[in-house]
Amino acid sequence: MSEISPVVAPTPIPAARRFFPVAGVAIVALVLFQAGPRLLDPQLLGLEDFIQYWSAGKLLATGGNPYAPDQIDALQRAEGWTKDEPLQMWNPPPVLTLTLPWSWFSFPVSRALCLLVQLLVILGCADWLWRFYGGSAQKRWLAWVIAFTLFPSLVVLRLGQISLLILLAFVGFLHFEKKGRYVLAGGCLALAAVKPHLVVLVGVAALLWAVHGRRWAVLAGGLLVGAVATAIPLLFDPVVFSQYLHALKYDKPPSNHLTPTAATLLRLAFGEEHAWVQYLPLFAGLVWLIPYWYRRRDAWDWAEQLPLLAPVSVLVTFYGAWPLDLIVLLVPVVQTAAWHVERRTWRWDWIAVYAACNAVALGMNVARCEEFTYFWFGPTLLALYLLLRSRASRPEAGAGIASAI
């Protein structure tokens, strides 16, 4: 492993450049203002996947059952949904706390606002990660380019998916953990439980780390956020958990989706009658994680370990990992880009591989290829990350933030 190099303080930013981010935001705001009427057209942004969150929040706010297919179907068809089955939200009831605010607006307005919020979140996360991993303020635009050329980012924006909250949770966790504000760090990490099956490895590692270091404040922060997120839906619908369990039992979330994961590959190889094999990748991930954490337990550094654990956790999941869920790849991609750009060790062939992977995935999306055909995307970018990680001279994480603020 390479020796960690000291961070070189960035050179002063010319006054003109300081206004560049402000000018960029102003231009984006102007474009959105001009395109406002078109953004309110559901045919432009489409209905899925955001309509499942909006309809669930709307039903909760109006006294309905957010997990009842007939009520969901009636609400979605009124907004133009034409498919045979309604798009049902299978996230657990605490997630309804996050979908509830969208119910305050009509669907077209909520969808446009969601797009704006997601743009800001992706941009903000990429910018923060760049500086956190030692990238200079003068070159932060590279992080913006990365953010909007990563294929999962484009899919998340197109569909209005909630997976972006996992990225935001990880960034918030890194920020507060580095500052030693463990209650807030735990609270941020709890946000990643919007799709709990995707963050099992990260959750187990966080639990081991907190217990080993007696960082009880991390657990307290997570429990506090979980309690608040649970209480709010109960105030609107005291039986929401029984409604959720009823939906799981009788309506049954689709378990046979051909998602681009090793779990799906095993299920196809051994047949649906041996569905238990889809848990083997997660089991293998846990078998790898425990000794991996144990060897590093006294010097565990989340800034170094999260960029690896996050994508691996998604790739070994037993259920429902779509290409858009790999938005967490933004963490390792920005990390290694900042390292190599600041040390001037980047190579054109690395950039070409990254660009080719995202271009091919985008082309497949335009061609409407089946979801399972994206099986190669996550492992390929993870392998590229491991290569670049092994060749990086790593500055201390967080120092870039300190010098830039």
Side-chain angles (χ1 to χ4, degrees), residues 223-238:
L223 290 174
L224 179 61
V225 169
V228 172
T230 300
I232 291 177
L234 287 173
L235 291 175
F236 287 85
D237 184 0

Side-chain angles (χ1 to χ4, degrees), residues 81-118:
W81 186 259
T82 58
K83 294 186 179 180
D84 294 336
E85 299 291 335
L87 189 60
Q88 189 163 349
M89 191 189 85
W90 292 105
N91 305 77
V95 179
L96 290 168
T97 299
L98 301 171
T99 67
L100 188 61
W102 300 121
S103 69
W104 302 341
F105 311 98
S106 65
F107 177 78
V109 172
S110 291
R111 183 66 186 92
L113 288 175
C114 175
L115 175 62
L116 178 59
V117 170
Q118 288 187 314

Side-chain angles (χ1 to χ4, degrees), residues 118-141:
Q118 288 187 314
L119 284 168
L120 294 176
V121 169
I122 291 177
L123 182 64
C125 286
D127 186 86
W128 186 90
L129 287 167
W130 177 265
R131 293 180 293 132
F132 181 73
Y133 285 111
S136 63
Q138 297 97 320
K139 299 174 183 175
R140 67 201 309 174
W141 61 270

Side-chain angles (χ1 to χ4, degrees), residues 39-352:
L39 290 177
L40 295 179
D41 181 3
Q43 299 304 318
L44 177 64
L45 296 177
L47 300 178
E48 52 184 12
D49 287 346
F50 179 74
I51 197 169
Q52 65 180 301
Y53 309 125
W54 177 84
S55 56
K58 180 68 75 173
L59 286 170
L60 180 68
T62 57
N65 179 354
Y67 296 104
D70 56 336
Q71 297 181 37
I72 296 170
D73 187 67
L75 197 58
Q76 292 181 355
R77 290 196 183 282
E79 299 299 328
W81 186 259
T82 58
K83 294 186 179 180
D84 294 336
E85 299 291 335
L87 189 60
Q88 189 163 349
M89 191 189 85
W90 292 105
N91 305 77
V95 179
L96 290 168
T97 299
L98 301 171
T99 67
L100 188 61
W102 300 121
S103 69
W104 302 341
F105 311 98
S106 65
F107 177 78
V109 172
S110 291
R111 183 66 186 92
L113 288 175
C114 175
L115 175 62
L116 178 59
V117 170
Q118 288 187 314
L119 284 168
L120 294 176
V121 169
I122 291 177
L123 182 64
C125 286
D127 186 86
W128 186 90
L129 287 167
W130 177 265
R131 293 180 293 132
F132 181 73
Y133 285 111
S136 63
Q138 297 97 320
K139 299 174 183 175
R140 67 201 309 174
W141 61 270
L142 288 172
W144 305 351
V145 171
I146 292 171
F148 294 112
T149 56
L150 186 67
F151 172 68
S153 297
L154 302 177
V155 183
V156 164
L157 291 172
R158 175 68 182 86
L159 298 179
Q161 251 283 345
I162 206 170
S163 300
L164 185 57
L165 289 176
I166 300 177
L167 173 66
L168 183 61
F170 288 163
V171 168
F173 175 72
L174 287 176
H175 175 76
F176 291 115
E177 187 275 330
K178 194 68 178 181
K179 291 179 175 292
R181 303 177 69 176
Y182 292 133
V183 173
L184 293 175
C188 286
L189 194 58
L191 189 63
V194 293
K195 289 189 174 183
H197 56 288
L198 299 180
V199 295
V200 173
L201 296 191
V202 176
V204 171
L207 180 62
L208 293 172
W209 168 76
V211 172
H212 175 72
R214 299 182 180 231
R215 300 176 180 89
W216 309 120
V218 175
L219 302 181
L223 290 174
L224 179 61
V225 169
V228 172
T230 300
I232 291 177
L234 287 173
L235 291 175
F236 287 85
D237 184 0
V239 295
V240 68
F241 276 89
S242 62
Q243 292 169 345
Y244 179 62
L245 293 176
H246 182 277
L248 290 179
K249 182 177 180 179
Y250 294 103
D251 301 322
K252 295 182 180 179
S255 59
N256 58 349
H257 278 320
L258 299 182
T259 56
T261 59
T264 296
L265 184 63
L266 288 173
R267 200 174 73 237
L268 290 175
F270 288 91
E272 294 295 338
E273 64 275 14
H274 301 293
W276 60 269
V277 297
Q278 68 188 29
Y279 296 95
L280 291 179
L282 178 60
F283 177 74
L286 291 170
V287 169
W288 163 78
L289 173 66
I290 302 303
Y292 180 84
W293 172 84
Y294 186 79
R295 291 194 300 269
R296 297 162 177 81
R297 65 191 184 282
D298 294 323
W300 186 265
D301 184 359
W302 278 107
E304 181 179 355
Q305 302 302 336
L306 186 62
L308 174 63
L309 286 184
V312 171
S313 188
V314 173
L315 290 174
V316 301
T317 186
F318 59 91
Y319 166 76
W322 306 97
L324 55 85
D325 293 318
L326 287 170
I327 184 67
V328 297
L329 281 169
L330 191 63
V331 181
V333 171
V334 173
Q335 177 200 44
T336 50
W339 285 349
H340 285 285
V341 168
E342 293 305 318
R343 295 297 175 268
R344 298 185 179 181
T345 54
W346 58 274
R347 289 170 37 175
W348 283 110
D349 53 344
W350 297 342
I351 298 175

